[in-house]
Amino acid sequence: LKMEHQVAHISLSTCLLPQEGFTYDAFHTAFEQVVSLAESLQKTIPSRPADQPQFTMETSLIPSLTMVARKCREPIIRRRATRLLQSAGREGVWNGPIAALVAEKIIEIEEAEIVDERVIENEKDAISVHFPPLKIHLKKPY
């Protein structure tokens, strides 16, 4: 419950902010707490044989760890979250090993941008991704 509270706090605190890399930097401590709680919780889950996959209809670890692995820019915390996802099994529609693969690819792409800051001179060498604008309508309180 504490993990889900931290993730909800981060989500609500950032939902109306521009989704840039630094948006989540202020939540380093919360991301660390989510991963630490997940590590503690995972130690209490009995291990199963490798040929018997773990499955539950309740969600507890995977959604929270997925957010940490995707949004936190601290490499050590991200990799701890990814390692936990690799062994998290399945929770409803959430698949830990697949979430770990997605997170690893995101990390690889983001860290490649940091290391290789080449300027793209030819537009054919670039990939553009366009998202529709987000429209939010809030009712006035009066």
Side-chain angles (χ1 to χ4, degrees), residues 35-128:
V35 173
S36 294
L37 289 166
E39 288 169 339
S40 297
L41 182 61
Q42 199 171 49
K43 289 176 186 174
T44 65
I45 299 171
S47 61
R48 297 177 182 259
D51 61 343
Q52 184 181 13
Q54 178 183 341
F55 175 81
T56 179
M57 285 303 292
E58 296 180 22
T59 59
S60 59
L61 294 174
I62 299 174
S64 299
L65 290 171
T66 299
M67 181 189 196
V68 173
R70 290 179 52 227
K71 300 296 184 181
C72 180
R73 295 197 313 164
E74 210 305 305
I76 294 172
I77 295 173
R78 287 182 112 172
R79 282 169 177 76
R80 285 171 53 204
T82 303
R83 271 194 305 278
L84 289 167
L85 284 168
Q86 290 167 345
S87 60
R90 290 196 59 179
E91 297 174 357
V93 298
W94 291 89
N95 184 311
I98 291 175
L101 289 172
V102 171
E104 288 169 352
K105 189 63 177 176
I106 290 169
I107 292 168
E108 177 186 322
I109 291 168
E110 289 180 357
E111 290 181 357
E113 289 176 7
I114 293 169
V115 174
D116 187 11
E117 295 184 4
R118 294 177 293 168
V119 175
I120 298 173
E121 295 176 10
N122 186 346
E123 193 173 305
K124 290 183 224 171
D125 296 334
I127 297 173
S128 297

Side-chain angles (χ1 to χ4, degrees), residues 24 27 73:
Y24 295 91
F27 299 96
R73 295 197 313 164

